[in-house]
Amino acid sequence: MSKVFAESILPECQTLESWVAQEIELQLRTLPGEITQSIDKNQAIAYVLKFLPPIGKKTESGWHWPPEKMGKMLQELITDAATLSLIRLVSSHRA
C-alpha cells in the first residue's frame, strides 16, 4: 500500500469498503491492461471484504479497536487481501 494511501486512512471520513476499493485500484494500475480488463472490480472488493476478519473486540459499549494498532493492521490486511483477491480472479480467468 502506498504511503499516500496509508496516510489518507481517516476512520471518520472513509469506510472499510472505500479503503478496499482504493487498494484494488492501486494494485490494478500495476497490472497489464489485458489482465485488468478481465477483472471484475466488484468481485475483487467483495472477496477482500469477505476475507478480512473482524477487527477489534466487542465490549458492552460497542466495538473497540486499539488506535495504535488499527491503521497498521488495516493497511496490512487490506493490502494482502487485495493481492490475494486479484490473484484469485486472474487465476480463475486463465483456467
Side-chain angles (χ1 to χ4, degrees):
M1 183 180 297
S2 74
K3 183 177 176 150
V4 172
F5 176 70
E7 291 173 355
S8 74
I9 296 179
L10 301 172
E12 66 275 8
C13 297
Q14 295 186 341
T15 64
L16 186 59
E17 291 87 352
S18 65
W19 299 335
V20 170
Q22 287 178 14
E23 181 62 27
I24 293 291
E25 286 291 333
L26 284 173
Q27 291 193 24
L28 284 174
R29 288 185 201 144
T30 67
L31 299 174
E34 63 273 4
I35 292 175
T36 59
Q37 291 175 358
S38 69
I39 293 175
D40 181 340
K41 291 179 197 175
N42 291 325
Q43 282 185 332
I45 293 167
Y47 178 81
V48 172
L49 293 172
K50 183 178 177 181
F51 177 81
L52 292 175
I55 301 169
K57 62 180 181 177
K58 181 77 171 165
T59 64
E60 288 182 302
S61 61
W63 287 98
H64 172 72
W65 291 272
E68 66 279 358
K69 293 183 180 180
M70 185 178 78
K72 183 172 175 40
M73 186 170 37
L74 276 174
Q75 175 184 348
E76 291 172 359
L77 286 172
I78 291 171
T79 299
D80 292 347
T83 301
L84 291 172
S85 173
L86 294 174
I87 289 169
R88 180 183 148 272
L89 289 170
V90 167
S91 298
S92 70
H93 287 291
R94 291 185 179 193

Coordinates of all heavy atoms in Angstrom, one line a residue:
M1 N 0.9 -1.2 0.0 CA 0.0 0.0 0.0 C 0.9 1.2 0.0 O 1.9 1.3 0.7 CB -0.9 0.0 1.2 CG -1.9 1.1 1.3 SD -2.9 1.1 2.8 CE -3.8 -0.4 2.6
S2 N 0.6 2.2 -0.8 CA 1.4 3.4 -0.9 C 1.3 4.2 0.4 O 0.3 4.2 1.1 CB 1.0 4.2 -2.1 OG -0.3 4.9 -1.8
K3 N 2.3 5.0 0.6 CA 2.4 5.8 1.8 C 1.3 6.9 1.8 O 0.6 7.2 2.8 CB 3.7 6.5 1.9 CG 3.9 7.3 3.2 CD 5.3 7.9 3.3 CE 5.3 8.8 4.5 NZ 6.5 8.9 5.2
V4 N 1.0 7.4 0.6 CA -0.1 8.4 0.4 C -1.4 7.8 0.8 O -2.2 8.3 1.5 CB -0.1 8.9 -1.0 CG1 -1.4 9.8 -1.2 CG2 1.1 9.7 -1.4
F5 N -1.7 6.5 0.3 CA -2.9 5.9 0.7 C -3.0 5.6 2.2 O -4.0 5.8 2.8 CB -3.1 4.6 -0.1 CG -4.3 3.8 0.3 CD1 -5.5 4.2 -0.1 CD2 -4.2 2.6 1.0 CE1 -6.7 3.5 0.3 CE2 -5.3 1.9 1.3 CZ -6.6 2.4 1.0
A6 N -1.9 5.1 2.8 CA -1.9 4.8 4.2 C -2.2 6.0 5.0 O -2.9 6.0 6.0 CB -0.6 4.2 4.6
E7 N -1.7 7.2 4.6 CA -1.9 8.4 5.4 C -3.3 8.9 5.2 O -3.8 9.7 6.0 CB -0.8 9.4 5.0 CG 0.5 9.1 5.4 CD 1.6 10.0 4.9 OE1 1.3 10.9 4.1 OE2 2.8 9.8 5.3
S8 N -4.0 8.5 4.1 CA -5.3 9.0 3.8 C -6.4 8.2 4.6 O -7.6 8.6 4.5 CB -5.6 9.0 2.3 OG -5.9 7.6 1.9
I9 N -6.0 7.2 5.3 CA -7.0 6.4 6.1 C -7.4 7.2 7.3 O -6.7 7.3 8.3 CB -6.4 5.0 6.5 CG1 -6.2 4.2 5.3 CG2 -7.4 4.3 7.4 CD1 -5.6 2.8 5.5
L10 N -8.6 7.8 7.2 CA -9.2 8.5 8.3 C -10.5 7.9 8.6 O -11.5 8.0 7.9 CB -9.4 10.0 7.9 CG -8.1 10.8 7.5 CD1 -8.5 12.2 7.0 CD2 -7.2 10.9 8.7
P11 N -10.6 7.2 9.8 CA -11.8 6.4 10.1 C -13.1 7.2 10.0 O -14.1 6.7 9.6 CB -11.5 5.9 11.5 CG -10.1 5.9 11.6 CD -9.6 7.0 10.8
E12 N -13.0 8.5 10.4 CA -14.2 9.3 10.4 C -14.7 9.7 9.0 O -15.8 10.2 8.8 CB -14.0 10.5 11.3 CG -13.0 11.5 10.9 CD -11.6 11.2 11.3 OE1 -11.3 10.1 11.8 OE2 -10.7 12.1 11.0
C13 N -13.8 9.6 8.0 CA -14.1 10.1 6.7 C -14.4 9.0 5.7 O -15.0 9.2 4.7 CB -12.9 10.9 6.2 SG -12.6 12.4 7.1
Q14 N -13.9 7.8 5.9 CA -14.0 6.7 4.9 C -14.5 5.4 5.5 O -14.4 5.2 6.7 CB -12.6 6.5 4.3 CG -12.1 7.6 3.5 CD -10.8 7.3 2.7 OE1 -10.2 6.3 3.1 NE2 -10.5 8.0 1.7
T15 N -15.0 4.6 4.7 CA -15.5 3.3 5.2 C -14.5 2.2 4.8 O -13.6 2.5 3.9 CB -16.8 2.9 4.5 OG1 -16.6 2.8 3.1 CG2 -17.9 4.0 4.9
L16 N -14.6 1.1 5.4 CA -13.7 0.0 5.0 C -13.8 -0.3 3.5 O -12.8 -0.6 2.8 CB -14.0 -1.3 5.9 CG -13.1 -2.5 5.7 CD1 -11.7 -2.1 6.1 CD2 -13.6 -3.6 6.6
E17 N -15.0 -0.3 3.0 CA -15.2 -0.6 1.6 C -14.5 0.4 0.7 O -13.9 0.0 -0.3 CB -16.7 -0.5 1.2 CG -17.5 -1.6 1.8 CD -18.0 -1.4 3.3 OE1 -17.6 -0.3 3.9 OE2 -18.8 -2.2 3.8
S18 N -14.4 1.7 1.1 CA -13.7 2.7 0.2 C -12.2 2.4 0.3 O -11.5 2.6 -0.7 CB -14.1 4.1 0.6 OG -13.7 4.4 1.9
W19 N -11.7 2.0 1.5 CA -10.3 1.7 1.6 C -9.9 0.6 0.7 O -8.9 0.6 0.0 CB -9.8 1.4 3.0 CG -10.1 2.5 4.0 CD1 -10.1 3.9 3.7 CD2 -10.3 2.4 5.4 NE1 -10.4 4.6 4.9 CE2 -10.4 3.7 5.9 CE3 -10.3 1.3 6.2 CZ2 -10.7 3.9 7.3 CZ3 -10.5 1.5 7.6 CH2 -10.7 2.8 8.1
V20 N -10.8 -0.5 0.7 CA -10.5 -1.7 -0.1 C -10.6 -1.3 -1.6 O -9.7 -1.7 -2.4 CB -11.5 -2.8 0.2 CG1 -11.5 -3.9 -0.8 CG2 -11.3 -3.3 1.7
A21 N -11.6 -0.5 -2.0 CA -11.7 -0.1 -3.4 C -10.5 0.7 -3.8 O -10.0 0.5 -5.0 CB -13.0 0.7 -3.6
Q22 N -10.0 1.6 -3.0 CA -8.7 2.3 -3.3 C -7.5 1.4 -3.5 O -6.7 1.6 -4.4 CB -8.5 3.4 -2.3 CG -9.4 4.5 -2.3 CD -9.1 5.5 -1.2 OE1 -8.0 5.5 -0.5 NE2 -10.0 6.4 -0.9
E23 N -7.4 0.4 -2.6 CA -6.3 -0.5 -2.7 C -6.4 -1.4 -4.0 O -5.4 -1.6 -4.7 CB -6.2 -1.4 -1.5 CG -5.0 -2.4 -1.5 CD -3.7 -1.7 -1.5 OE1 -3.5 -0.6 -1.1 OE2 -2.7 -2.4 -2.0
I24 N -7.6 -1.8 -4.3 CA -7.8 -2.6 -5.5 C -7.4 -1.7 -6.7 O -6.7 -2.2 -7.6 CB -9.2 -3.1 -5.7 CG1 -9.6 -4.1 -4.6 CG2 -9.5 -3.6 -7.1 CD1 -8.9 -5.5 -4.7
E25 N -7.8 -0.5 -6.8 CA -7.4 0.4 -7.9 C -5.9 0.6 -7.9 O -5.4 0.5 -9.0 CB -8.1 1.8 -7.7 CG -9.6 1.8 -8.0 CD -9.9 1.6 -9.5 OE1 -9.0 2.0 -10.3 OE2 -11.0 1.1 -9.8
L26 N -5.3 0.8 -6.8 CA -3.8 0.9 -6.8 C -3.1 -0.3 -7.4 O -2.2 -0.2 -8.2 CB -3.3 1.2 -5.4 CG -3.5 2.6 -4.8 CD1 -3.1 2.6 -3.3 CD2 -2.7 3.6 -5.6
Q27 N -3.6 -1.5 -7.0 CA -2.9 -2.7 -7.4 C -3.3 -3.0 -8.9 O -2.4 -3.5 -9.6 CB -3.3 -3.9 -6.5 CG -2.7 -3.7 -5.2 CD -2.8 -5.0 -4.3 OE1 -2.9 -6.1 -4.9 NE2 -2.7 -4.9 -3.0
L28 N -4.4 -2.6 -9.3 CA -4.8 -2.9 -10.8 C -3.9 -2.0 -11.7 O -3.6 -2.4 -12.8 CB -6.3 -2.5 -11.0 CG -7.3 -3.6 -10.5 CD1 -8.7 -3.1 -10.7 CD2 -7.1 -4.9 -11.3
R29 N -3.5 -0.8 -11.2 CA -2.7 0.0 -12.0 C -1.3 -0.6 -12.3 O -0.6 -0.2 -13.2 CB -2.5 1.4 -11.3 CG -3.7 2.2 -11.3 CD -3.4 3.6 -10.7 NE -4.6 4.2 -10.3 CZ -4.8 4.9 -9.2 NH1 -3.7 5.2 -8.4 NH2 -6.0 5.4 -8.8
T30 N -0.9 -1.6 -11.5 CA 0.4 -2.2 -11.7 C 0.3 -3.4 -12.7 O 1.4 -4.0 -13.0 CB 1.0 -2.7 -10.4 OG1 0.2 -3.7 -9.8 CG2 1.1 -1.6 -9.4
L31 N -0.9 -3.8 -13.1 CA -1.1 -5.0 -13.9 C -1.2 -4.5 -15.4 O -1.7 -3.4 -15.7 CB -2.3 -5.7 -13.5 CG -2.3 -6.3 -12.1 CD1 -3.6 -6.9 -11.7 CD2 -1.2 -7.3 -11.9
P32 N -0.9 -5.4 -16.3 CA -1.1 -5.1 -17.7 C -2.6 -4.9 -18.0 O -3.5 -5.5 -17.4 CB -0.6 -6.4 -18.4 CG 0.3 -7.1 -17.4 CD -0.2 -6.7 -16.1
G33 N -2.9 -4.1 -19.0 CA -4.3 -3.8 -19.4 C -5.1 -5.0 -19.7 O -6.3 -5.0 -19.4
E34 N -4.6 -6.0 -20.4 CA -5.4 -7.2 -20.8 C -5.9 -7.9 -19.5 O -6.9 -8.6 -19.5 CB -4.7 -8.1 -21.8 CG -3.4 -8.7 -21.3 CD -2.2 -7.9 -21.5 OE1 -2.3 -6.8 -21.9 OE2 -1.1 -8.4 -21.2
I35 N -5.1 -7.9 -18.5 CA -5.5 -8.5 -17.2 C -6.5 -7.7 -16.5 O -7.5 -8.2 -16.0 CB -4.2 -8.8 -16.3 CG1 -3.3 -9.9 -17.0 CG2 -4.7 -9.2 -14.9 CD1 -2.1 -10.1 -16.3
T36 N -6.3 -6.4 -16.4 CA -7.2 -5.6 -15.7 C -8.6 -5.5 -16.3 O -9.6 -5.4 -15.6 CB -6.7 -4.1 -15.5 OG1 -6.5 -3.5 -16.8 CG2 -5.4 -4.1 -14.7
Q37 N -8.7 -5.7 -17.6 CA -10.0 -5.7 -18.3 C -10.8 -6.9 -18.0 O -12.0 -6.9 -18.0 CB -9.8 -5.6 -19.8 CG -9.3 -4.2 -20.3 CD -8.9 -4.2 -21.7 OE1 -9.1 -5.2 -22.4 NE2 -8.5 -3.0 -22.2
S38 N -10.1 -8.0 -17.6 CA -10.8 -9.3 -17.3 C -11.2 -9.4 -15.9 O -11.9 -10.3 -15.5 CB -9.9 -10.4 -17.7 OG -8.8 -10.5 -16.8
I39 N -10.9 -8.4 -15.0 CA -11.2 -8.5 -13.6 C -12.4 -7.6 -13.3 O -12.4 -6.4 -13.6 CB -9.9 -8.0 -12.8 CG1 -8.8 -9.0 -12.9 CG2 -10.3 -7.9 -11.3 CD1 -7.5 -8.6 -12.3
D40 N -13.3 -8.2 -12.6 CA -14.5 -7.5 -12.1 C -14.1 -6.9 -10.8 O -13.9 -7.6 -9.8 CB -15.6 -8.5 -11.9 CG -16.9 -7.8 -11.5 OD1 -16.9 -6.7 -10.9 OD2 -18.0 -8.4 -11.6
K41 N -14.0 -5.6 -10.7 CA -13.6 -4.9 -9.5 C -14.5 -5.1 -8.3 O -14.1 -5.3 -7.2 CB -13.5 -3.4 -9.7 CG -12.4 -2.9 -10.7 CD -12.4 -1.4 -10.9 CE -11.6 -1.0 -12.1 NZ -11.7 0.4 -12.4
N42 N -15.8 -5.3 -8.6 CA -16.7 -5.5 -7.6 C -16.5 -6.9 -6.9 O -16.6 -7.1 -5.7 CB -18.2 -5.4 -8.1 CG -18.5 -4.0 -8.4 OD1 -18.1 -3.0 -7.7 ND2 -19.3 -3.8 -9.4
Q43 N -16.2 -7.9 -7.7 CA -15.8 -9.2 -7.2 C -14.6 -9.1 -6.4 O -14.5 -9.8 -5.3 CB -15.6 -10.2 -8.3 CG -16.9 -10.7 -9.0 CD -16.6 -11.8 -10.0 OE1 -15.5 -11.8 -10.6 NE2 -17.5 -12.7 -10.2
A44 N -13.6 -8.4 -6.8 CA -12.3 -8.3 -6.1 C -12.6 -7.6 -4.7 O -12.1 -8.1 -3.7 CB -11.3 -7.4 -6.9
I45 N -13.4 -6.6 -4.7 CA -13.7 -5.9 -3.4 C -14.5 -6.8 -2.5 O -14.2 -6.9 -1.3 CB -14.5 -4.6 -3.7 CG1 -13.6 -3.6 -4.4 CG2 -15.1 -4.0 -2.5 CD1 -14.3 -2.4 -5.1
A46 N -15.5 -7.5 -3.1 CA -16.3 -8.4 -2.2 C -15.4 -9.5 -1.6 O -15.6 -9.8 -0.4 CB -17.4 -9.0 -3.1
Y47 N -14.5 -10.0 -2.4 CA -13.6 -11.1 -1.9 C -12.8 -10.5 -0.7 O -12.6 -11.2 0.3 CB -12.7 -11.6 -3.0 CG -11.7 -12.6 -2.5 CD1 -12.1 -13.9 -2.4 CD2 -10.4 -12.3 -2.2 CE1 -11.2 -14.9 -1.9 CE2 -9.5 -13.2 -1.7 CZ -9.9 -14.5 -1.6 OH -9.0 -15.5 -1.1
V48 N -12.3 -9.3 -0.8 CA -11.5 -8.7 0.2 C -12.3 -8.5 1.5 O -11.9 -8.9 2.6 CB -10.8 -7.4 -0.2 CG1 -10.2 -6.7 1.0 CG2 -9.8 -7.6 -1.3
L49 N -13.5 -8.0 1.3 CA -14.3 -7.7 2.5 C -14.7 -9.0 3.2 O -14.8 -9.1 4.4 CB -15.6 -6.9 2.1 CG -15.3 -5.5 1.6 CD1 -16.5 -4.9 1.1 CD2 -14.7 -4.7 2.7
K50 N -14.9 -10.1 2.4 CA -15.3 -11.4 3.0 C -14.0 -12.0 3.7 O -14.2 -12.6 4.7 CB -15.7 -12.3 1.9 CG -16.2 -13.7 2.4 CD -16.7 -14.5 1.2 CE -17.0 -15.9 1.8 NZ -17.5 -16.8 0.7
F51 N -12.9 -11.7 3.2 CA -11.6 -12.3 3.7 C -11.2 -11.7 5.0 O -10.6 -12.3 5.9 CB -10.5 -12.1 2.6 CG -9.2 -12.6 3.0 CD1 -8.8 -14.0 3.0 CD2 -8.2 -11.7 3.5 CE1 -7.6 -14.4 3.4 CE2 -7.0 -12.2 3.9 CZ -6.7 -13.5 3.8
L52 N -11.4 -10.4 5.1 CA -11.0 -9.6 6.3 C -11.7 -10.1 7.6 O -12.9 -10.2 7.6 CB -11.2 -8.1 6.2 CG -10.4 -7.4 5.1 CD1 -10.8 -6.0 5.0 CD2 -8.9 -7.5 5.4
P53 N -10.9 -10.5 8.6 CA -11.6 -10.9 9.8 C -12.1 -9.7 10.6 O -11.8 -8.6 10.3 CB -10.4 -11.5 10.6 CG -9.2 -10.8 10.1 CD -9.5 -10.5 8.7
P54 N -13.0 -9.9 11.6 CA -13.4 -8.8 12.4 C -12.2 -8.2 13.1 O -11.3 -8.9 13.5 CB -14.4 -9.5 13.4 CG -14.8 -10.8 12.8 CD -13.6 -11.2 11.9
I55 N -12.2 -6.9 13.2 CA -11.1 -6.2 13.7 C -11.5 -5.5 15.0 O -12.4 -4.7 15.0 CB -10.5 -5.2 12.8 CG1 -10.0 -5.9 11.5 CG2 -9.3 -4.5 13.4 CD1 -9.7 -5.0 10.4
G56 N -10.9 -5.9 16.1 CA -11.3 -5.3 17.4 C -12.0 -6.3 18.3 O -12.1 -7.5 18.0
K57 N -12.5 -5.8 19.4 CA -13.2 -6.7 20.3 C -14.5 -6.1 20.7 O -14.6 -4.9 20.7 CB -12.3 -7.1 21.5 CG -12.0 -5.9 22.3 CD -11.1 -6.3 23.5 CE -10.8 -5.1 24.3 NZ -10.1 -5.3 25.5
K58 N -15.5 -6.9 21.0 CA -16.8 -6.4 21.3 C -16.8 -6.2 22.8 O -16.4 -7.0 23.6 CB -17.9 -7.5 20.9 CG -19.3 -7.1 21.2 CD -19.8 -6.1 20.2 CE -21.3 -6.0 20.4 NZ -21.8 -4.8 19.8
T59 N -17.3 -5.0 23.2 CA -17.5 -4.7 24.6 C -18.9 -4.3 24.8 O -19.7 -4.2 23.8 CB -16.6 -3.5 25.0 OG1 -17.0 -2.3 24.3 CG2 -15.1 -3.7 24.8
E60 N -19.3 -4.1 26.0 CA -20.7 -3.7 26.3 C -21.1 -2.4 25.6 O -22.2 -2.2 25.2 CB -20.9 -3.6 27.8 CG -20.9 -5.0 28.5 CD -21.2 -4.8 30.0 OE1 -20.5 -4.1 30.6 OE2 -22.2 -5.4 30.4
S61 N -20.2 -1.5 25.4 CA -20.5 -0.2 24.8 C -20.3 -0.3 23.3 O -20.6 0.7 22.6 CB -19.6 0.9 25.4 OG -18.2 0.6 25.1
G62 N -19.9 -1.4 22.7 CA -19.7 -1.5 21.3 C -18.4 -2.1 20.9 O -17.7 -2.6 21.7
W63 N -18.0 -1.9 19.6 CA -16.7 -2.4 19.2 C -15.6 -1.5 19.6 O -15.7 -0.3 19.6 CB -16.7 -2.5 17.6 CG -17.6 -3.7 17.2 CD1 -18.8 -3.6 16.7 CD2 -17.2 -5.0 17.2 NE1 -19.3 -4.9 16.4 CE2 -18.3 -5.8 16.7 CE3 -16.0 -5.7 17.5 CZ2 -18.3 -7.1 16.5 CZ3 -16.0 -7.1 17.4 CH2 -17.2 -7.8 16.9
H64 N -14.4 -2.1 19.9 CA -13.3 -1.3 20.3 C -12.1 -1.7 19.5 O -11.8 -2.9 19.5 CB -13.0 -1.5 21.8 CG -11.7 -0.8 22.2 ND1 -11.6 0.5 22.3 CD2 -10.5 -1.4 22.6 CE1 -10.3 0.8 22.7 NE2 -9.7 -0.4 22.9
W65 N -11.4 -0.8 18.9 CA -10.2 -1.1 18.2 C -9.1 -0.3 18.8 O -9.2 0.9 19.0 CB -10.3 -0.6 16.7 CG -11.2 -1.5 15.9 CD1 -11.0 -2.6 15.2 CD2 -12.6 -1.2 15.7 NE1 -12.1 -3.1 14.6 CE2 -13.1 -2.2 14.9 CE3 -13.5 -0.2 16.1 CZ2 -14.4 -2.3 14.5 CZ3 -14.8 -0.3 15.7 CH2 -15.3 -1.3 14.9
P66 N -8.0 -0.9 19.1 CA -6.9 -0.2 19.7 C -6.3 0.8 18.7 O -5.8 0.4 17.6 CB -5.8 -1.3 20.1 CG -6.3 -2.5 19.4 CD -7.7 -2.3 19.0
P67 N -6.4 2.1 19.0 CA -6.0 3.1 17.9 C -4.5 3.0 17.5 O -4.2 3.2 16.3 CB -6.2 4.4 18.6 CG -6.6 4.1 20.0 CD -6.8 2.7 20.2
E68 N -3.7 2.5 18.4 CA -2.3 2.5 18.0 C -2.0 1.3 17.0 O -1.0 1.3 16.3 CB -1.4 2.3 19.2 CG -1.5 1.0 20.0 CD -2.7 1.1 21.0 OE1 -3.4 2.1 21.1 OE2 -2.9 0.0 21.6
K69 N -2.9 0.4 16.9 CA -2.7 -0.8 16.0 C -3.6 -0.7 14.8 O -3.3 -1.4 13.8 CB -2.9 -2.1 16.8 CG -1.9 -2.4 17.9 CD -2.2 -3.7 18.5 CE -1.2 -4.0 19.6 NZ -1.4 -5.2 20.3
M70 N -4.7 0.0 14.9 CA -5.7 -0.1 13.9 C -5.2 0.3 12.5 O -5.4 -0.5 11.5 CB -6.9 0.8 14.2 CG -8.0 0.6 13.2 SD -9.5 1.6 13.5 CE -9.0 3.2 13.0
G71 N -4.5 1.4 12.3 CA -4.1 1.8 11.0 C -3.2 0.9 10.3 O -3.3 0.5 9.2
K72 N -2.1 0.4 11.1 CA -1.2 -0.5 10.5 C -1.8 -1.9 10.2 O -1.5 -2.5 9.2 CB 0.0 -0.7 11.5 CG 1.1 -1.6 11.0 CD 2.3 -1.5 11.9 CE 3.4 -2.4 11.5 NZ 3.8 -2.6 10.1
M73 N -2.6 -2.3 11.1 CA -3.3 -3.6 10.9 C -4.2 -3.6 9.7 O -4.2 -4.5 8.9 CB -4.1 -4.0 12.2 CG -4.7 -5.4 12.2 SD -5.4 -5.9 13.8 CE -6.1 -4.5 14.4
L74 N -5.0 -2.5 9.6 CA -5.9 -2.4 8.4 C -5.1 -2.3 7.1 O -5.4 -3.0 6.1 CB -6.8 -1.2 8.6 CG -8.0 -1.3 9.4 CD1 -8.7 0.0 9.5 CD2 -9.0 -2.3 8.8
Q75 N -4.0 -1.5 7.2 CA -3.2 -1.4 6.0 C -2.7 -2.7 5.5 O -2.8 -3.1 4.3 CB -2.0 -0.4 6.3 CG -1.0 -0.3 5.1 CD 0.1 0.6 5.5 OE1 0.1 1.2 6.5 NE2 1.2 0.6 4.7
E76 N -2.1 -3.5 6.4 CA -1.5 -4.8 6.0 C -2.6 -5.8 5.6 O -2.4 -6.5 4.6 CB -0.8 -5.4 7.2 CG 0.5 -4.6 7.5 CD 1.2 -5.0 8.8 OE1 0.6 -5.9 9.5 OE2 2.2 -4.5 9.2
L77 N -3.7 -5.8 6.3 CA -4.8 -6.8 6.0 C -5.4 -6.4 4.6 O -5.6 -7.3 3.8 CB -5.9 -6.8 7.0 CG -5.5 -7.5 8.3 CD1 -6.6 -7.2 9.4 CD2 -5.4 -9.0 8.1
I78 N -5.7 -5.2 4.4 CA -6.3 -4.8 3.1 C -5.3 -5.0 1.9 O -5.7 -5.6 0.9 CB -6.7 -3.3 3.2 CG1 -7.9 -3.2 4.1 CG2 -7.1 -2.8 1.8 CD1 -8.3 -1.8 4.4
T79 N -4.1 -4.7 2.1 CA -3.1 -4.9 1.0 C -3.0 -6.4 0.7 O -3.0 -6.8 -0.5 CB -1.7 -4.3 1.4 OG1 -1.8 -2.9 1.7 CG2 -0.7 -4.6 0.4
D80 N -2.8 -7.2 1.7 CA -2.7 -8.7 1.5 C -3.9 -9.3 0.9 O -3.9 -10.1 -0.1 CB -2.3 -9.4 2.8 CG -0.9 -9.0 3.3 OD1 -0.1 -8.4 2.5 OD2 -0.6 -9.4 4.5
A81 N -5.1 -8.9 1.4 CA -6.3 -9.4 0.9 C -6.6 -9.0 -0.5 O -7.1 -9.7 -1.3 CB -7.5 -9.0 1.8
A82 N -6.3 -7.7 -0.8 CA -6.4 -7.3 -2.2 C -5.6 -8.0 -3.2 O -6.0 -8.4 -4.3 CB -6.2 -5.8 -2.3
T83 N -4.3 -8.3 -2.8 CA -3.4 -9.0 -3.6 C -4.0 -10.5 -3.9 O -4.0 -10.9 -5.0 CB -2.0 -9.1 -3.0 OG1 -1.5 -7.8 -2.8 CG2 -1.1 -9.9 -3.8
L84 N -4.4 -11.1 -2.8 CA -5.0 -12.4 -2.9 C -6.2 -12.4 -3.8 O -6.5 -13.4 -4.6 CB -5.3 -13.0 -1.6 CG -4.1 -13.4 -0.7 CD1 -4.5 -13.8 0.7 CD2 -3.3 -14.5 -1.3
S85 N -7.0 -11.4 -3.7 CA -8.3 -11.3 -4.5 C -7.9 -11.2 -5.9 O -8.5 -11.9 -6.8 CB -9.1 -10.1 -4.0 OG -10.1 -9.9 -4.8
L86 N -7.0 -10.4 -6.3 CA -6.6 -10.2 -7.7 C -6.0 -11.5 -8.3 O -6.3 -11.9 -9.4 CB -5.7 -9.0 -7.9 CG -6.4 -7.7 -7.5 CD1 -5.4 -6.5 -7.6 CD2 -7.6 -7.4 -8.5
I87 N -5.1 -12.1 -7.5 CA -4.5 -13.4 -7.9 C -5.6 -14.4 -8.2 O -5.6 -15.1 -9.2 CB -3.5 -13.9 -6.9 CG1 -2.3 -13.0 -6.9 CG2 -3.1 -15.4 -7.1 CD1 -1.3 -13.3 -5.7
R88 N -6.6 -14.5 -7.3 CA -7.7 -15.5 -7.4 C -8.5 -15.2 -8.7 O -8.8 -16.1 -9.5 CB -8.6 -15.4 -6.2 CG -9.8 -16.3 -6.2 CD -10.7 -16.0 -5.0 NE -12.0 -16.3 -5.3 CZ -12.9 -15.4 -5.8 NH1 -12.5 -14.2 -6.0 NH2 -14.1 -15.7 -6.0
L89 N -8.8 -13.9 -8.9 CA -9.6 -13.6 -10.1 C -8.8 -13.8 -11.4 O -9.4 -14.3 -12.4 CB -10.1 -12.2 -10.0 CG -11.2 -12.0 -8.9 CD1 -11.5 -10.5 -8.7 CD2 -12.5 -12.7 -9.3
V90 N -7.5 -13.5 -11.4 CA -6.7 -13.7 -12.6 C -6.6 -15.2 -12.9 O -6.7 -15.6 -14.0 CB -5.3 -13.0 -12.4 CG1 -4.4 -13.5 -13.5 CG2 -5.4 -11.5 -12.5
S91 N -6.4 -16.0 -11.8 CA -6.3 -17.4 -12.0 C -7.5 -18.0 -12.5 O -7.5 -18.9 -13.3 CB -5.9 -18.1 -10.7 OG -4.6 -17.6 -10.2
S92 N -8.7 -17.6 -12.0 CA -9.9 -18.1 -12.5 C -10.2 -17.8 -13.9 O -10.9 -18.6 -14.6 CB -11.1 -17.6 -11.6 OG -11.4 -16.3 -11.8
H93 N -9.7 -16.7 -14.5 CA -9.9 -16.4 -15.9 C -9.0 -17.2 -16.8 O -9.3 -17.4 -18.0 CB -9.7 -14.9 -16.1 CG -10.8 -14.1 -15.6 ND1 -12.1 -14.1 -16.1 CD2 -10.9 -13.2 -14.5 CE1 -12.9 -13.3 -15.4 NE2 -12.2 -12.7 -14.4
R94 N -7.9 -17.6 -16.3 CA -7.0 -18.4 -17.1 C -7.3 -19.9 -17.1 O -6.8 -20.6 -18.0 CB -5.5 -18.2 -16.6 CG -5.0 -16.8 -16.8 CD -3.6 -16.7 -16.4 NE -3.2 -15.4 -16.6 CZ -1.9 -15.0 -16.6 NH1 -1.0 -15.9 -16.3 NH2 -1.6 -13.8 -16.9
A95 N -8.1 -20.3 -16.2 CA -8.5 -21.8 -16.1 C -9.4 -22.1 -17.2 O -10.1 -21.4 -17.8 CB -9.0 -22.1 -14.7

